[in-house]
Amino acid sequence: AARALAAGFHHARRAEGLAAWPTPNILNWKSFVRATWEQRTADARLLLNPAQEQALWVEIAGADRSLATLLEGPRHRLAALAMEAHELLCSYAPQFLRTNARGGWEQDAAAFSGWLAAFDEACRAGSLISPSRLPHELIPLLFAETAKRPPLLLAGFDRILPVQRSLFDAWGDWREAAQGEPAAVVHFHAAADAQAELAACAIWCGRQLTANPSARLLVVTHAASARRGEIERAFQRHTGPAFEFSLGVPLSQVALARAAHLLLRWLDGSLAEQELDWLLSTGHAAASAQESAALQATMRALRRFSLERTHWTLAAFLGERCAAELLPASWAERISAAQRLLAGFARRAQSPLEWAELIPRLLDELHFAGARPLTSAEFQALRRWHQAVESCGSLGFDGRRISWKDLLSQLDRALDETLFAPKSRDEPIQIAGPAESAGLTADAVWFLGADEDAWPANGATHPLLPVEVQREAGMPHATPQLDWDLAAAITRRILTAAPEVHFSFARQNDAAEARPSRLIAQLAGPPQPLPPELAAPAAPPPLTV
C-alpha cells in the first residue's frame, strides 16, 4: 500500500508537468512506529532485529530442556511460535505482558509465560528492546508532548489493531481514507476446475489489455505462493510478460542466493549430486562462460563414465581423474584457495560478525557470479543476499561465538524467511494476495478462489496462548465470526478498488467438489457459468505419438 500510494503521488505530479516536488511522508506501520520512536527518545537500548529476537527466544526455549526443545529444528520452530505469541499480546492484549496477569495460565501457555518472563529479564539485563514493544513505549511519550503534530491519514487498513488505535489516539488528529464508490459491474463466475478458472482469468486480462493497452488490472488470489508456477504459465500463455507478483518468494528459491549458499556449504562439507549439477549449470560458480562450459562438461563426463555419487565433497570432485583433466586449472586453484582460507578460520568458533565478514571474502576469492554481467533482478537479489548475511552477523550482539556449520544453518533459515521481490516494473497486471492488495486500485479486478473453504480464510488459534484470552482480545482465527468480519472488510474494500470486479471459484478442487463462498454470493449474487469467450482453447495435438 505504501509503495502504491507513493507511486500514484509521483505519477500525479508528473502529470501536472512538475519536474520536482517534496517527497510525500508515506510510511508503512512498522516504519512509522520506529521513526516516531527514534525521533522522541535517546534510548541507549538496542532495538532487536527479527534474527536477534528469535535468537533470544531460541536460547530461552533451549534452556527449558524439555523434549520438544532438545533438537535444533523443533527448538527454532517453537521459538518462532513464541515470538508470534509475544507480538500478538503486544498488539491485542498488552495487559498480559505483566507476569502477574498470567498467573492462571496452564500447560503450553504456562511454559510460554515462563519464557516470556525470561525474555523480559534478558532484555532488561542486556539493554534490549523488541520492535513489538515500541508502540507501548511511544504512547506515553506522545501524551507527554505539548507540540501539535500533523494529522495522520490511514490507508490500506482492513482492521485497526487495539495497539494501533491507542497510538493513533495518543498522536492526536487521525482518520481513515474514505473508500471509493462500490463497483458498478460485479460478476461471480463458476468454473469447472481450477485450471479452467485460472485460464479464464488470464484470457480476460488479455482481452482487457487488447481493448485498452493502458488499463491497470488487479488479480487477487489467496494461493499465490502455492500456485505461483501455475499462474505464471497461464498468464505467459494468454497475456505474455505483462504481469508481476506483489509478493516475493523466499530468497532460498532465488538462483543467485541459492548458488552462493551451496558454494559455501561445499567448501566444508558435501553436496548431493543433483545440488552440484544444478550449481554448476547456473554459471554462478564460474568466472567466465568458458569455465562454466568446462564445469558442465565435467559433470557430463562423470555420468558418461558411471562415476556418479550420492554426495560429492570438494576433495572427491577435484580428485576424480576425468574431472582433473577437464576442470579449468584457474577454477580449481581459486576454490582450493577459498577452502584453505575457510579452514584457517574454522579451527575455532568465531563471532557471527567475523563469519559474516568472511563470507564476501570467500565469494570474491571464488569470483562468484563473474561469468557474465548481472541482470537488474540478479543485482537486487545479490544486495538482498548481503542483507541476509548481515542479519546473521548481527547475532553477535550478545558476544556469542558459533561454529561455521552453525552459521550456515542460521543463514539457511534466514534465506527461507527472507522474501525477495525485484523492483516493480509497473506492469499492467498486478497479482496480489487479499491482504497485499490493500491500498491498490485498478480499472478492473478479478478475485480467484472464492469458494466456501477458502473465503473467508480460516485458521487455528495460537497454540501458546489460552483460547479464552484469544477470544476476548479478538485475535486472528479465535472465532469463525472474526474470520468472517475480516474477510467481509477485505471484500468490501476490493469492491471499491475498481469500477469492474469479477469473482470466481472452481466447482472441482483437489478431487473434491467445492461450493461458492456464501460471503461473495451475498454481495455479488449466485455464481454463473463462465462466458464462452473465456473458455481456454483446446490443447494442440501432440507432435509425437
Side-chain angles (χ1 to χ4, degrees):
R3 289 195 303 268
L5 289 168
F9 180 89
H10 297 316
H11 184 269
R13 301 294 79 75
R14 286 192 295 268
E16 293 170 356
L18 298 179
W21 53 86
T23 301
N25 191 15
I26 301 175
L27 299 171
N28 62 59
W29 162 251
K30 291 185 177 180
S31 299
F32 166 73
V33 170
R34 178 166 183 167
T36 306
W37 182 76
E38 289 176 344
Q39 291 166 4
R40 287 163 172 78
T41 180
D43 203 315
R45 288 176 293 177
L46 171 67
L47 181 60
L48 296 169
N49 64 32
Q52 292 169 332
E53 183 170 352
Q54 184 161 350
L56 272 183
W57 286 108
V58 168
E59 187 175 336
I60 291 167
D64 196 30
R65 306 302 298 172
S66 64
L67 287 176
T69 62
L70 292 180
L71 297 178
E72 182 183 15
R75 185 163 62 248
H76 279 86
R77 286 192 289 272
L78 272 175
L81 283 174
M83 190 170 165
E84 291 174 6
H86 174 236
E87 185 173 4
L88 284 172
L89 289 182
C90 292
S91 298
Y92 288 89
Q95 67 272 22
F96 290 103
L97 295 175
R98 300 191 306 271
T99 304
N100 56 4
R102 305 191 300 268
W105 290 14
E106 300 177 347
Q107 298 179 351
D108 291 343
F112 166 70
S113 178
W115 296 351
L116 181 53
F119 178 80
D120 290 339
E121 179 57 34
C123 288
R124 279 192 293 269
S127 295
L128 312 171
I129 183 171
S130 165
S132 301
R133 298 289 181 102
L134 290 188
H136 302 287
E137 299 265 342
L138 186 55
I139 289 171
L141 297 178
L142 293 175
F143 276 123
E145 281 185 354
T146 56
K148 185 175 177 59
R149 290 177 285 270
L152 296 178
L153 179 64
L154 275 57
F157 284 73
D158 290 321
R159 61 180 168 191
I160 299 178
L161 306 184
V163 69
Q164 293 172 335
R165 188 174 297 277
S166 298
L167 190 145
F168 296 146
D169 289 341
W171 178 275
D173 187 9
W174 68 276
R175 64 182 176 88
E176 293 187 77
Q179 292 187 340
E181 293 295 322
V185 178
V186 181
H187 297 286
F188 191 10
H189 305 292
D193 52 42
Q195 288 73 29
E197 180 193 17
L198 184 54
C201 175
I203 292 170
W204 173 81
C205 289
R207 292 167 64 92
Q208 292 282 324
L209 292 180
T210 301
N212 179 13
S214 62
R216 310 292 299 177
L217 306 176
L218 175 61
V219 176
V220 180
T221 172
H222 50 77
S225 298
R227 301 182 64 192
R228 191 181 183 104
E230 185 182 356
I231 293 172
E232 285 182 343
R233 289 190 294 272
F235 277 82
Q236 283 284 2
R237 180 180 180 187
H238 297 291
T239 69
F243 67 93
E244 63 183 6
F245 291 84
S246 69
L247 190 64
V249 297
L251 195 56
S252 58
Q253 297 179 16
V254 177
L256 188 140
R258 184 182 178 218
H261 188 240
L262 288 177
L263 265 177
L264 294 175
R265 278 179 47 199
W266 202 24
L267 293 177
D268 191 42
S270 64
L271 295 181
E273 181 159 305
Q274 68 269 21
E275 291 178 323
L276 181 58
D277 201 11
W278 178 89
L279 171 63
L280 301 184
S281 70
T282 63
H284 293 316
S288 65
Q290 293 75 20
E291 277 191 1
S292 179
L295 292 173
Q296 295 176 60
T298 302
M299 291 302 297
R300 290 194 296 271
L302 291 173
R303 287 192 289 270
R304 186 167 60 250
F305 291 108
S306 300
L307 297 174
E308 300 94 332
R309 297 188 183 192
T310 56
H311 287 78
W312 284 94
T313 63
L314 182 56
F317 186 74
L318 295 174
E320 281 290 351
R321 180 176 179 181
C322 73
E325 294 172 352
L326 293 173
L327 285 175
S330 58
W331 181 87
E333 291 172 3
R334 289 199 312 274
I335 200 164
S336 297
Q339 190 177 40
R340 290 192 298 271
L341 175 61
L342 174 61
F345 276 80
R347 293 191 184 99
R348 61 184 179 86
Q350 306 280 351
S351 77
L353 181 59
E354 289 172 321
W355 287 127
E357 291 174 344
L358 176 65
I359 285 176
R361 292 176 57 190
L362 292 173
L363 294 180
D364 287 344
E365 184 74 40
L366 294 166
H367 292 187
F368 176 72
R372 56 174 174 78
L374 297 179
T375 65
S376 175
E378 288 173 334
F379 182 75
Q380 295 171 58
L382 185 60
R383 291 182 59 187
R384 202 76 176 97
W385 156 266
H386 287 310
Q387 291 174 5
V389 172
E390 289 171 3
S391 74
C392 293
S394 71
L395 295 178
F397 71 101
D398 58 356
R400 69 181 64 191
R401 307 185 78 81
I402 61 176
S403 67
W404 173 249
K405 291 188 182 300
D406 289 337
L407 188 280
L408 288 182
S409 295
Q410 181 61 41
L411 181 57
D412 189 26
R413 285 188 292 271
L415 296 180
D416 282 336
E417 296 167 2
T418 301
L419 290 181
F420 169 73
K423 184 179 178 181
S424 174
R425 306 185 304 274
D426 199 28
E427 297 291 356
I429 304 173
Q430 297 289 321
I431 304 173
E436 292 77 41
S437 66
L440 303 183
T441 58
D443 295 310
V445 176
W446 188 298
F447 186 106
L448 290 163
D451 62 71
E452 192 174 47
D453 292 332
W455 196 251
N458 51 36
T461 55
H462 200 283
L464 296 183
L465 295 175
V467 174
E468 60 274 12
V469 169
Q470 298 183 59
R471 288 174 179 166
E472 291 174 6
M475 294 183 186
H477 311 306
T479 66
Q481 186 62 47
L482 289 170
D483 291 340
W484 178 280
D485 292 342
L486 178 59
I490 294 175
T491 304
R492 287 193 295 269
R493 186 251 301 159
I494 290 172
L495 285 170
T496 63
E500 179 182 349
V501 177
H502 294 252
F503 297 94
S504 65
F505 86 105
R507 295 189 183 278
Q508 197 74 18
N509 199 352
D510 295 331
E513 187 173 341
R515 293 182 294 183
S517 166
R518 291 180 293 124
L519 174 59
I520 301 301
Q522 288 179 7
L523 297 172
Q528 303 298 321
L530 284 170
E533 63 269 20
L534 297 184
L543 299 179
T544 58
V545 293

